[in-house]
Amino acid sequence: MQSPYKAIKVTEDVWWVGAIDWNIRDFHGYQTKRGSTYNAYLVMADKVTLIDTVKAPFREEMLARIADVIDPGRIDYIVSNHSEMDHSGCLPEVIAAVKPEKVFASQAGAKALREIFPSESLEIAAVRDGETLSLGNRSLVFMETRMLHWPDSMFAYLKEEELLFSQDAFGMHYASLERFDDQLDPAILEYEAATYYANIILPYSPLVLKLLEKVAAAKLSCKIVAPDHGPIWRKDIGGIVGRYGKWASQKPTAKAVVVYATMWHSTEKMARAVSEGLAAGGLHVKFMSMDEAHRSEVVYELLGAGALAVGSPTLNNNLLPHMADVLTYIKGLKPRNLVGAAFGSYGWSGEAVGQIEAILGEMKVELAGEGIRVKNVPDAGTLEKCYGLGITMAEQVKARL
Amino acid sequence: MKRYVCGVCGYVYDPAEGDPDGGIKKGVPFNDLPEEWVCPVCGASKDEFSPE
């Protein structure tokens, strides 16, 4: 019986041969509501080349799609642009099955792959930034993109086709049978690309800006951008590259995110009052209870926000655990240019507000004013102070716009 | 001598260690690193570093 898994033609010589993961919902803490794809590409040049592989359980799907075009045993080269296991997890098995002449990765990638598969004694040729690999009638130019988003990450540019294999950059977690941006709803693409940026790329924004400068200086013309997750860009390349520039600049806008959790609705009342103040001060407010929202949604909302207000009651001398969770997550993603404040209720000791302020300090968030703590239940005076804190935050954000 | 942390990836430049792979011998203070020196882990430039 023939396999239902077919290759999809990208250009005359390039085929998508990846895998679709419809049901994945948790990507190391990032909620992927629309599933994902692991993209691998087959370049049918004189030297048949496979660009990246897929997550280990999807090996057979990828090999079936390759077999739709060519006997996998005829692959000459494998290029690993990114060593993370969703793109390399089946690499040793694929090498064993295909027996390629050579496997290529960046210098850091070659080292990382040997560390990830210590028992495999993989032979991997390290390529340098700017190096060109001849595929006979085609050529691949490598560009290091260190820390976008792992130390090993690199781009591979198929010169004659003006096609950029961009690994995780410009990607998104979005499972679909359509493979190209022009076949899908642009609003969903923008939302999922932004969510991906916020959850994966955000901490490396200074490097994104440098990379965009480098690409512009190299006058690299791209007709197609083929990332390792989600659809291939062939229509709105300018749009996604422009959005990366915007997101990486992290310019604040008149938007505030209020994130809190509550035990008996006291901290929630404070969150409501802070939000009313922020709105009265002229900011758009995204109000997020961590009893409802997911951490990856919070960082999506923070992309381009100007203010972050955080509330938590004190539970046994500490933050509520799900507030510690979201703050740890946000801290690692390093959002910049935020004005912040902390608030929360307590029954007897009240450490949470100070703990939030300490974390916001580590995150380089500028505190708009002293945090507000209240014992048991906020009275009218406390809620007025919360409202006032919202106004002060809004004024400080507006002064930065 | 002061250690400096890369604001991008968290690598710490320790003058006592230098950066042998980057051709920097032991004992070179952060401020004396050449301007074109980059973080050995992520490639970030010197201006992304701050004192530990």
Side-chain angles (χ1 to χ4, degrees):
Chain A
M1 203 187 92
Q2 274 206 330
S3 165
Y5 300 122
K6 310 293 183 196
I8 293 174
K9 198 169 207 168
V10 180
T11 68
E12 207 44 43
D13 300 320
V14 178
W15 299 78
W16 176 85
V17 290
I20 306 175
D21 192 348
W22 292 102
N23 295 324
I24 188 167
R25 290 294 179 271
D26 179 8
F27 221 103
H28 46 64
Y30 163 10
Q31 188 181 46
T32 51
K33 287 181 278 194
R34 288 188 169 92
S36 194
T37 67
Y38 312 110
N39 298 338
Y41 300 94
L42 190 66
V43 182
M44 292 297 295
D46 292 343
K47 290 284 186 187
V48 176
T49 303
L50 178 65
I51 309 280
D52 287 322
T53 59
V54 298
K55 197 168 161 179
F58 294 87
R59 182 190 71 216
E60 290 306 319
E61 180 176 339
M62 180 186 73
L63 289 172
R65 293 190 199 273
I66 293 171
D68 184 41
V69 182
I70 193 172
D71 168 10
R74 288 189 49 204
I75 290 173
D76 298 294
Y77 294 159
I78 298 177
V79 172
S80 168
N81 282 328
H82 179 26
S83 62
E84 195 167 4
M85 286 73 143
D86 49 338
H87 310 294
S88 73
C90 64
L91 186 62
E93 289 88 349
V94 172
I95 291 172
V98 166
K99 299 186 183 61
E101 190 184 316
K102 270 187 160 179
V103 182
F104 299 92
S106 67
Q107 300 200 13
K111 194 163 168 259
L113 288 169
R114 284 192 286 265
E115 287 163 358
I116 291 168
F117 304 109
S119 59
E120 303 285 344
S121 59
L122 297 180
E123 275 184 44
I124 295 165
V127 293
R128 291 185 321 273
D129 185 38
E131 188 172 329
T132 300
L133 173 69
S134 170
L135 311 180
N137 59 338
R138 294 281 179 270
S139 46
L140 270 181
V141 184
F142 300 108
M143 185 190 285
E144 275 190 0
T145 59
R146 278 204 229 175
M147 233 45 217
L148 289 174
H149 67 110
W150 272 23
D152 59 273
S153 305
M154 68 173 183
F155 286 174
Y157 178 66
L158 188 62
K159 218 165 146 185
E160 294 78 5
E161 309 269 351
E162 299 185 12
L163 189 158
L164 182 70
F165 298 106
S166 64
Q167 40 93 20
D168 280 351
F170 311 119
M172 69 184 76
H173 289 309
Y174 184 7
S176 63
L177 286 162
E178 294 80 7
R179 282 278 62 78
F180 299 96
D181 63 330
D182 51 287
Q183 300 167 323
L184 293 156
D185 180 346
I188 296 176
L189 296 184
E190 171 150 11
Y191 170 79
E192 290 298 346
T195 304
Y196 190 91
Y197 189 94
N199 280 276
I200 302 284
I201 312 282
L202 185 63
Y204 312 113
S205 289
L207 298 176
V208 171
L209 293 176
K210 279 185 195 157
L211 178 71
L212 293 176
E213 277 173 26
K214 189 172 153 185
V215 171
K219 296 201 166 53
L220 209 66
S221 158
C222 286
K223 284 188 187 147
I224 292 176
V225 173
D228 272 358
H229 296 289
I232 297 160
W233 302 94
R234 67 178 178 191
K235 184 179 170 222
D236 195 18
I237 293 172
I240 185 66
V241 173
R243 280 193 285 278
Y244 262 56
K246 187 182 98 178
W247 295 329
S249 74
Q250 298 199 67
K251 285 208 179 82
T253 60
K255 176 185 177 182
V257 181
V258 178
V259 183
Y260 74 98
T262 199
M263 288 168 69
W264 301 106
H265 301 291
S266 290
T267 301
E268 184 167 73
K269 285 179 185 139
M270 299 170 84
R272 295 281 313 265
V274 170
S275 300
E276 296 281 336
L278 286 162
L283 301 194
H284 169 69
V285 178
K286 183 68 188 178
F287 185 85
M288 307 185 90
S289 158
M290 290 316 294
D291 301 312
E292 309 290 335
H294 192 274
R295 63 178 91 81
S296 35
E297 200 61 25
V298 175
V299 294
Y300 163 77
E301 293 293 343
L302 276 175
L303 200 59
L308 170 64
V310 182
S312 175
T314 298
L315 174 71
N316 301 328
N317 310 106
N318 277 285
L319 295 176
L320 276 189
H322 44 317
M323 287 311 297
D325 172 319
V326 71
L327 287 174
T328 303
Y329 194 66
I330 298 172
K331 186 176 130 190
L333 291 166
K334 300 195 177 106
R336 289 288 176 258
N337 306 321
L338 288 169
V339 169
F343 57 91
S345 67
Y346 63 97
W348 52 95
S349 56
E351 290 88 344
V353 168
Q355 290 168 359
I356 294 169
E357 286 179 331
I359 297 169
L360 292 177
E362 285 176 49
M363 285 164 56
K364 302 195 172 102
V365 172
E366 200 170 307
L367 293 177
E370 209 178 310
I372 302 176
R373 298 188 324 154
V374 68
K375 194 156 184 285
N376 284 319
V377 174
D379 60 8
T382 306
L383 293 178
E384 202 184 323
K385 270 171 70 184
C386 291
Y387 182 86
L389 183 61
I391 298 257
T392 307
M393 288 177 82
E395 279 165 359
Q396 293 192 12
V397 170
K398 286 200 296 193
R400 292 166 162 223
L401 300 181
Chain B
M1 272 187 291
K2 247 192 190 139
R3 289 155 41 110
Y4 278 70
V5 187
C6 174
V8 176
C9 73
Y11 162 84
V12 178
Y13 176 76
D14 183 353
E17 299 290 325
D19 170 23
D21 292 342
I24 305 295
K25 289 181 194 151
K26 290 177 182 180
V28 179
F30 181 81
N31 288 331
D32 291 351
L33 291 172
E35 281 315 304
E36 63 277 11
W37 180 82
V38 294
C39 172
V41 174
C42 74
S45 53
K46 270 183 85 178
D47 54 7
E48 300 289 349
F49 280 71
S50 54
E52 193 174 40

